[in-house]
Amino acid sequence: METSMLIISITLIIICVLPFLIINGKAKKKANLLKTILETKLQNDNRVLADHEVHNSFALGLDSNYNYLYFYSNNDDTEIVKKVKLNQISSCQVVKDSKRIINGKSSYELTERVRLVFYTSHHTIIDYFELYNDEDSSQLDGEIALAHSWKQKLDELLHTSDTRSTTMTTLESNNIFV
């Protein structure tokens, strides 16, 4: 009787734990694939990956000489590879596009996009890396914090002592009334 209870208990534990192990394994495999692809893109430019971060569907990386910041994203059938030469930019800002939705007496903010935007010394946009888009992903998963983290890294590399290092620019779209 005790042996059969032990076997049933072990089987139930395996059944409960196995899906989490499978999901975790797939996430690690995807992260390794994104890192490998990013390293390949840098090697194509004769560069070596020094610092990087892999998130759900994108990877950010700095080359070893801190000359370029690379971005690789793979959503469904769309592959995006971008690079920004750091000596051409003077600042980096986190831009969060959102809209306020009003439903009766309550309201809430819906984030539509989160981007790292790169500016020249003349305050013109050179390029941007889109870290989150509500059309591609249903909810935020740390993209805002990741954007601020990379903004801080870039501010240190660019030697900017901008007092707005933690300021987030928010662009609000039209209000929606439900």
Side-chain angles (χ1 to χ4, degrees), residues 7-135:
I7 292 172
I8 291 171
S9 298
I10 291 173
T11 304
L12 287 175
I13 290 171
I14 290 172
I15 289 173
C16 291
V17 171
L18 191 60
F20 294 106
L21 293 175
I22 291 171
I23 290 170
N24 190 27
K26 285 183 179 182
K28 284 184 179 181
K29 186 182 275 189
K30 184 175 180 179
N32 286 337
L33 177 66
L34 285 172
K35 181 184 176 201
T36 303
I37 292 172
L38 183 65
E39 285 177 329
T40 304
K41 301 298 180 188
L42 269 77
Q43 287 173 357
N44 290 344
D45 291 344
N46 295 322
R47 308 223 175 265
V48 177
L49 184 64
D51 189 10
H52 73 283
E53 186 130 13
V54 177
H55 201 58
N56 297 332
S57 62
F58 67 87
L60 288 167
L62 281 168
D63 72 328
S64 58
N65 295 326
Y66 300 110
N67 291 330
Y68 286 91
L69 176 66
Y70 284 80
F71 176 76
Y72 174 78
S73 176
N74 190 354
N75 291 330
D76 300 326
D77 297 328
T78 307
E79 182 179 76
I80 299 170
V81 179
K82 291 184 174 184
K83 65 180 176 180
V84 172
K85 191 168 185 177
L86 294 181
N87 66 4
Q88 293 178 345
I89 65 172
S90 65
S91 67
C92 170
Q93 292 296 321
V94 175
V95 177
K96 181 179 110 176
D97 296 335
S98 62
K99 61 183 172 186
R100 179 148 315 274
I101 297 180
I102 301 171
N103 185 3
K105 293 182 180 179
S106 64
S107 69
Y108 59 93
E109 184 177 289
L110 177 67
T111 301
E112 294 179 319
R113 282 183 210 90
V114 175
R115 297 177 291 181
L116 276 175
V117 181
F118 307 102
Y119 296 93
T120 65
S121 58
H122 302 294
H123 304 293
T124 57
I125 296 175
I126 293 177
D127 205 350
Y128 66 89
F129 297 166
E130 188 171 81
L131 306 181
Y132 171 78
N133 188 330
D134 66 347
E135 293 175 4

Side-chain angles (χ1 to χ4, degrees), residues 92-94 148 151-152 155 160-168:
C92 170
Q93 292 296 321
V94 175
H148 282 289
K151 179 197 179 318
Q152 185 177 6
D155 283 348
T160 59
S161 58
D162 193 352
T163 58
R164 298 171 292 162
S165 63
T166 58
T167 304
M168 177 174 33

